[in-house]
Amino acid sequence: MIIVKDLSKHFGDTKAVNNVNLEVKKGELFGLLGPNGSGKTTMIKMLTGQIKPTAGEIFVHGVNVLEDPLRVKELVGIIPEQETPPSFLTAEEYLYFVAKIRKLEDFEEKCEWWFSYLDFAGQRDVLCKDLSRGTRQKLMLAQAFLHEPELVIIDEPLINLDPLMQRKVKDFLKDYAGKGGTVFISTHILDIAREICSSMGIIYKGNLVFSGSMDDPAIGERPLEDFFLELVN
Amino acid sequence: MFELFNSMMKEEWRMHSSFFGNRGFALFPLVIAAISMLFSLSMIIFGRIISQAEVLLGLHYLLLFMGSMVGGFGLLGREVMNRRFGQASLMAYSSRTLPISERIIFTNFVVKDVIYYFFLYVLPFTTGFVAGALLIDLNYPFITLLTTLFLAFCTGLSFVFLLSTIYANLGKKGLFLLLLIPVVFLVFFQGTGFNRLYVLPPLVLYTNPSAEIFIIALALVILPSVISLIFLKVDYPQSQKHYRNQFKEAVERLGFYGYSHFMVKDYLDFSRSEGGAGKVVFSFLVPVILVWFFLPQLLKVVPGLDILVVFAVVVGMMASSMYNWLVEYDMFSSYAFLPLTVPDVLRSKLNSYSVLNVIPLAVVLIATIYAGRLYDIVHIVLLFVAVSLYVVSVTVYLTGLNTTFSLYSAGTFASYVLVIGPVVLGMIFLAQLNFHFVLASVALIPVAFFVLKRSFIKWSSWEV
Ligand SMILES: Nc1ncnc2c1ncn2[C@@H]1O[C@H](COP(=O)(O)OP(=O)(O)O)[C@@H](O)[C@H]1O
Ligand SMILES: [Mg+2]
């Protein structure tokens, strides 16, 4: 579903992503783990055709991202790190707007479903700019799944959500991958990975220091934190 | 207190320079100086038709006008920043998180604006002008001129600050107040015409200096600011307002049109933002009315100039400012994860721009009828449409989706003036030779489309 070859992105002297090779298969729930500033967001922006790599190749859904970034954005559901729909549309209007951009039909019921599933129907008529961060994140989740993509790429999916909602979103993502969808998430919270991911990659200072299945013998039964510290030391 | 002030200065500088690069921004005063130097050098040609008194009058009103534009931009700009980056990111809003009163912060804010813009505009402008004059053997007392021009600038700034405070306190009712401004002007200058303009205190201070007039000029700067600070109202979004889904209805009604959802979004952004309608009145209609009123006076230096032609050209240029409003509310990053390209967004904005042009078009039509020149309507409308389209295409090419900030970059600003100035002056010149030559403006339309085509290419190669 995702193939990354020798991918690098440098900002001046900063090697935000350095020569990364990676593959994510259909049906996986892949977690890209790493502390703040390790290159997760940069990686996701390249995967989704939002910024150009310094070097390397990316194929998503069989599409060469560098050649046709628009096609990738059509196919994939994306939630960026900065969850800002900075507009004067209400939550509901924003979803309708996205649906129009994606040329969807019969989206109203789906919107209803998301309002009730993530429990924010009460905020549907509030302007996006006045929504709390948590509600914006809910809106962004709904937006990404509206066109029922086979692959979703989410930068820090649980950020700003309360524990109850975190549980719901985790369950939803697991379920989604279980039904054949593919999910790529980034997070700096290591525990999330063990809880829901089927495979993971660990990125540190732009280098992918590990990638593999969650039951890779190298990890064993240790807490992920220990495994991570061992890798970077 | 001083520390806060200091950080605000730094913030302002970084905010500006981060938008268009340090060097581009640092050169901005040089461009201003170059332009004002051209002004004073041009006196070699116009010196015979305009008197020195009129030159000084023009200078002081120009600075007054610049002050009010800068003030308007400062306040509108802040609203934009605030929308884009959230209030938490600006010093001006730190009273929410730091133990400092709003009034102290805003006092700092105003003083900072004044000092900042002194170095950015007033000083380079005066220096350029005086230097240019020296080259043609005209001597102006630098310090005096700098002082009185600075006072004129601050008067404009201060009055806009007052107006915005009134507007913030009165809300919709404030709109009428804004509309009253041109009416007051009209009444004030009725009959006596141009001569009353000479009462501007900073100007009088230059021509007939005295302690009294200095105090009056100073009071005109300080009083409005103090009043605004007393009645200061900072609107924090506290209440969550609820809106019914207007988007759905409107899109259904316009569904036949491919860009309907963008246009409806632009419309909702505009009408739901603070002072949506106020912005039209304040930054478009009021200036247009003032232009209509002052144009005949300002143009008497070039006898026989067709005022209606100049008016159509000026309104065409001012219309392009509506493109700025349209892109103000958006950053591309809020579309970057959707299947859209920068040109898609630009196209959608141009669509809305075309629709918005109905307003200036109506203004031009009314002016034509008012001037009793209905028979010239085809020429005038064509001229207006061509200029509006041409100017907006250049704006799109140079600045893309970042209009307000990019125009402060020296290079961009200079290209803007150089590409638009000669064309616009050329059109006026042609009309002067023979009114029917105005029809030549039709040639600007394909040029504009070509420039737009190039802009789409230019802006799509940016990132991705
Ligand atoms: N536009 C940019 N310009 C310069 N440096 C950047 C830019 N974006 C990210 N970086 C740098 O790249 C590194 C990785 O950042 P990021 O991908 O945001 O990390 P993460 O999402 O893992 O926290 C950081 O050192 C960051 O400062
Ligand atoms: Mg990140």
Side-chain angles (χ1 to χ4, degrees):
Chain A
M1 197 50 109
I2 300 177
I3 299 172
V4 170
K5 286 183 191 158
D6 304 323
L7 189 65
S8 296
K9 176 76 188 181
H10 301 173
F11 298 106
D13 290 337
T14 316
K15 293 180 175 172
V17 169
N18 195 18
N19 209 14
V20 166
N21 286 283
L22 186 69
E23 184 170 353
V24 178
K25 297 203 173 66
K26 188 171 159 55
E28 279 189 76
L29 203 173
F30 181 90
L32 182 65
L33 315 188
N36 289 325
S38 53
K40 304 182 296 294
T41 298
T42 309
M43 186 80 189
I44 284 189
K45 282 190 173 164
M46 289 193 285
L47 290 182
T48 53
Q50 299 185 54
I51 56 173
K52 220 178 195 157
T54 311
E57 281 186 302
I58 314 161
F59 295 90
V60 170
H61 253 295
V63 180
N64 184 334
V65 177
L66 286 175
E67 279 168 13
D68 199 352
L70 204 59
R71 182 76 190 129
V72 173
K73 293 178 194 176
E74 273 169 19
L75 292 169
V76 180
I78 303 165
I79 303 182
E81 181 176 45
Q82 207 100 36
E83 65 336 316
T84 38
S87 81
F88 287 82
L89 298 184
T90 64
E92 183 176 82
E93 287 170 342
Y94 179 69
L95 287 183
Y96 282 34
F97 179 61
V98 172
K100 285 286 168 192
I101 290 174
R102 291 193 177 278
K103 303 189 176 69
L104 306 180
E105 313 248 326
D106 308 321
F107 48 85
E108 296 187 20
E109 274 168 41
K110 278 179 212 147
C111 297
E112 289 308 320
W113 187 86
W114 278 101
F115 282 133
S116 71
Y117 184 73
L118 294 180
D119 194 23
F120 67 119
Q123 264 79 41
R124 67 199 298 163
D125 56 357
V126 173
L127 300 187
C128 290
K129 72 176 186 78
D130 294 338
L131 293 173
S132 72
R133 280 170 192 266
T135 313
R136 279 192 208 174
Q137 184 67 2
K138 293 178 186 179
L139 183 62
M140 292 310 283
L141 278 160
Q143 161 280 128
F145 285 94
L146 212 53
H147 59 300
E148 300 184 337
E150 285 178 43
L151 168 67
V152 282
I153 298 181
I154 313 178
D155 204 349
E156 308 276 359
L158 303 182
I159 202 156
N160 296 320
L161 295 177
D162 61 53
L164 204 70
M165 279 303 140
Q166 291 198 5
R167 181 78 269 149
K168 263 195 160 164
V169 171
K170 282 184 214 166
D171 289 345
F172 180 83
L173 294 179
K174 252 174 144 170
D175 194 46
Y176 196 77
K179 285 182 191 151
T182 312
V183 182
F184 184 109
I185 64 168
S186 82
T187 178
H188 63 280
I189 305 163
L190 300 177
D191 292 341
I192 295 174
R194 181 147 273 163
E195 224 179 315
I196 62 170
C197 291
S198 61
S199 58
M200 68 166 180
I202 295 181
I203 189 168
Y204 183 67
K205 293 188 175 166
N207 297 300
L208 194 71
V209 290
F210 173 86
S211 86
S213 149
M214 284 312 290
D215 34 56
D216 191 300
I219 311 172
E221 291 300 310
R222 287 173 293 174
L224 275 183
E225 201 177 299
D226 293 354
F227 178 59
F228 172 75
L229 289 174
E230 199 183 296
L231 279 173
V232 299
N233 285 332
Chain B
M1 176 97 182
F2 184 70
E3 226 161 81
L4 177 69
F5 179 77
N6 218 352
S7 349
M8 276 183 159
M9 273 311 222
K10 276 192 203 140
E11 179 184 62
E12 186 87 20
W13 175 267
R14 292 204 184 122
M15 201 154 86
H16 279 105
S17 56
S18 76
F19 271 106
F20 26 70
N22 256 321
R23 202 170 334 128
F25 186 49
L27 285 175
F28 188 74
L30 285 185
V31 177
I32 294 276
I35 291 174
S36 68
M37 198 161 181
L38 283 181
F39 266 141
S40 59
L41 285 177
S42 74
M43 280 192 297
I44 226 170
I45 308 167
F46 294 116
R48 268 168 260 141
I49 7 181
I50 10 176
S51 66
Q52 270 308 304
E54 282 167 331
V55 169
L56 287 165
L57 181 85
L59 280 182
H60 283 84
Y61 274 91
L62 186 63
L63 268 286
L64 180 84
F65 186 67
M66 265 161 72
S68 41
M69 296 297 277
V70 164
F73 171 73
L75 294 162
L76 288 184
R78 223 137 296 271
E79 194 192 315
V80 174
M81 290 301 209
N82 169 6
R83 185 166 311 127
R84 286 186 168 186
F85 303 118
Q87 300 195 331
S89 57
L90 280 176
M91 287 281 175
Y93 292 99
S94 51
S95 71
R96 302 172 87 190
T97 47
L98 299 174
I100 313 171
S101 97
E102 279 159 14
R103 216 147 269 132
I104 291 187
I105 290 177
F106 267 82
T107 312
N108 265 291
F109 173 69
V110 172
V111 174
K112 177 219 66 184
D113 256 16
V114 168
I115 296 179
Y116 194 74
Y117 292 117
F118 173 77
F119 287 105
L120 200 61
Y121 290 95
V122 185
L123 185 62
F125 183 89
T126 317
T127 314
F129 185 83
V130 172
L134 277 180
L135 290 180
I136 54 169
D137 281 333
L138 279 171
N139 261 314
Y140 289 92
F142 179 69
I143 298 292
T144 316
L145 190 62
L146 186 64
T147 312
T148 59
L149 287 183
F150 186 44
L151 280 170
F153 183 85
C154 291
T155 311
L157 200 69
S158 187
F159 268 90
V160 166
F161 189 33
L162 179 64
L163 283 177
S164 76
T165 310
I166 294 174
Y167 185 64
N169 278 287
L170 292 184
K172 289 252 147 67
K173 275 172 275 166
L175 272 184
F176 290 101
L177 222 99
L178 293 182
L179 274 172
L180 272 180
I181 301 172
V183 177
V184 170
F185 262 95
L186 286 174
V187 172
F188 187 66
F189 294 109
Q190 198 63 44
T192 58
F194 216 27
N195 288 336
R196 283 253 177 115
L197 284 177
Y198 286 95
V199 300
L200 186 72
L203 176 61
V204 179
L205 183 64
Y206 183 89
T207 47
N208 294 309
S210 72
E212 291 95 56
I213 197 72
F214 180 69
I215 290 167
I216 294 174
L218 209 57
L220 267 186
V221 173
I222 293 171
L223 276 183
S225 300
V226 169
I227 295 173
S228 342
L229 282 173
I230 293 173
F231 292 100
L232 184 76
K233 194 174 155 197
V234 189
D235 22 300
Y236 298 132
Q238 292 140 335
S239 58
Q240 288 191 332
K241 275 205 224 155
H242 296 265
Y243 294 86
R244 112 196 118 77
N245 192 335
Q246 287 175 280
F247 182 82
K248 182 182 166 191
E249 291 165 27
V251 170
E252 270 165 14
R253 220 171 300 141
L254 294 169
F256 55 90
Y257 189 57
Y259 283 96
S260 58
H261 46 294
F262 288 106
M263 283 167 55
V264 173
K265 175 182 174 297
D266 284 341
Y267 168 74
L268 292 176
D269 276 349
F270 186 68
S271 64
R272 287 172 181 175
S273 65
E274 298 112 81
K279 238 172 271 175
V280 184
V281 173
F282 195 53
S283 65
F284 184 70
L285 287 181
V286 170
V288 162
I289 293 172
L290 292 181
V291 164
W292 178 242
F293 178 69
F294 284 121
L295 215 50
Q297 306 292 346
L298 294 175
L299 293 183
K300 70 172 187 175
V301 294
V302 192
L305 206 57
D306 189 331
I307 290 170
L308 199 56
V309 166
V310 180
F311 185 71
V313 167
V314 172
V315 174
M317 287 168 65
M318 284 165 67
S320 73
S321 70
M322 295 191 308
Y323 175 78
N324 297 7
W325 306 336
L326 286 171
V327 297
E328 246 178 25
Y329 303 105
D330 277 320
M331 281 200 289
F332 185 69
S333 69
S334 46
Y335 295 101
F337 55 94
L338 294 169
L340 291 173
T341 60
V342 177
D344 286 334
V345 179
L346 288 175
R347 265 186 218 107
S348 81
K349 297 293 171 192
L350 286 166
N351 257 283
S352 303
Y353 175 73
S354 315
V355 174
L356 265 180
N357 254 283
V358 171
I359 301 171
L361 183 62
V363 168
V364 170
L365 286 176
I366 291 169
T368 313
I369 294 168
Y370 181 78
R373 304 241 323 245
L374 209 50
Y375 47 88
D376 286 334
I377 205 147
V378 175
H379 293 66
I380 297 296
V381 166
L382 179 70
L383 182 62
F384 159 75
V385 170
V387 170
S388 165
L389 201 61
Y390 176 70
V391 175
V392 87
S393 72
V394 173
T395 313
V396 172
Y397 184 81
L398 289 175
T399 65
L401 285 170
N402 272 325
T403 51
T404 358
F405 305 108
S406 316
L407 276 183
Y408 271 102
S409 141
T412 314
F413 184 67
S415 339
Y416 186 82
V417 172
L418 286 179
V419 174
I420 291 175
V423 169
V424 160
L425 292 177
M427 286 324 305
I428 295 173
F429 178 71
L430 279 182
Q432 186 85 329
L433 293 180
N434 181 331
F435 181 67
H436 290 291
F437 287 172
V438 161
L439 293 176
S441 60
V442 79
L444 286 179
I445 295 174
V447 173
F449 277 102
F450 177 74
V451 174
L452 284 177
K453 222 171 140 190
R454 303 297 310 172
S455 330
F456 296 152
I457 296 170
K458 175 182 173 187
W459 292 106
S460 60
S461 57
W462 178 79
E463 275 299 359
V464 181

